Amino acid sequence: MSTSRASAVARLLESLDVTHLVTIPDNTSALLLEALEGATIRTLYATREGEAVALASGLWLGGARPVVLIQNTGLLESGDGLRGAASRLGAPLLLLVTTRGYAVARAAGVVPGAAVLSREALVRADLDSVALMTEQTLDAWGVPFHRLEDATDLSAIGAAWERAHSEERPVAVLIDATFS
Amino acid sequence: MLTKDQLLKPLARLRSDEVIVTCMGVTRPWGRISDHDLDFASADSAMGHTADLALGIALAQPTRRVVCLNGDGSMLMTLGTLATVVEAGARNLILFVLENRAYEITGNQRIPGGGRLDFAGMARAAGFERVYDFDDPTTYESALPEVFAAEGPVFVRVRMEPGTEGPISRSEKEEARYLRTSLADWARTFRAALGV
């Protein structure tokens, strides 16, 4: 994520009246977290992604307007928090999910969202298996998602935010790591 | 060690407009003595995430005290939350860990390290400055007003008698009002009571 793009995302989140961003920081989100310094949005650091989702669900219960920023590997860890807290509550959580392994998968001729989860695919050293199962996992968990694939078009974030609130459920945005 | 009545009745007498978040084995007993829209049962919910929900509520409602009655098995599933609570500086959060050394509602299976773990020590090591440790009902009841008045985040470990609560449903079969509806429907009730 470039500095200017990160600033644009931060401004967009502010325009949506987001109050808190709950995250486990990593290299793919560092610039956005930097851009949020000085913003009206409070950043909260959790220790695991399921904890982040449950914490954000509690924030919503209390009347705040949180978003969650995690990597797709951590998304896989968050399953029961997402199921049992956010989805069961009907909490309109926006999940910003960076996509480790997507660029490598495409370079290897594999479309992440259409990958076959065969043993051969899952053990390949030249693929990051998290890219192969991110979208299938969201489908299985009943979490709709939008893709953010163009650095100059952040409309997926606003669309996911609106959908989360109109449908009262968590909605994810997959932020393509090749733009990071 | 305390029984559930010895734990909950003094709490109910002291409670005014605090949020009370319950978990597992105390969910039904609290619902028998309290019928308040600001009660929240982390039941039919995410395993181990009761304290996370309570922390979120506390941060969103900084002028209202939030009391979380967490179980030791639940706390053990998300020990990282102790660090997060302190890092977030939730001054209005009182986090109880009710140590019965077992996963009570699934049949009292022993938790790893049950009876040997020092949850109060873990809380101190995570940075909690106010840590209480109770093993008898008289000391607990006399100290409870101080616990409520203390600036948080506050950690309270209570050694509990084993219980016999079974699995919790969200249905008309339950006595407690906050268990007779879905989590999503109760969320509406709870948020309305907060005025959000």
Side-chain angles (χ1 to χ4, degrees), chain A residues 42 51 60 62 80 88 168, chain B residues 44 47 61 84 88 191:
Chain A
R42 182 178 178 191
E51 179 198 325
W60 170 77
D80 195 49
R88 291 294 273 176
E168 298 182 325
Chain B
D44 184 32
M47 281 198 310
Q61 292 282 323
T84 306
R191 283 167 52 86

Side-chain angles (χ1 to χ4, degrees), chain B residues 4-48:
Chain B
K4 285 174 186 163
D5 273 358
Q6 289 168 334
L7 173 85
L8 298 177
K9 286 184 174 173
L11 193 63
R13 284 194 288 273
L14 205 58
R15 190 261 189 99
S16 54
D17 64 349
E18 293 83 1
V19 168
I20 307 286
V21 180
T22 63
C23 174
M24 301 299 180
V26 295
T27 300
R28 275 197 200 97
W30 179 254
R32 290 187 195 112
I33 61 172
S34 173
D35 181 24
H36 198 300
D37 285 355
L38 290 179
D39 292 336
F40 187 87
S42 178
D44 184 32
S45 180
M47 281 198 310

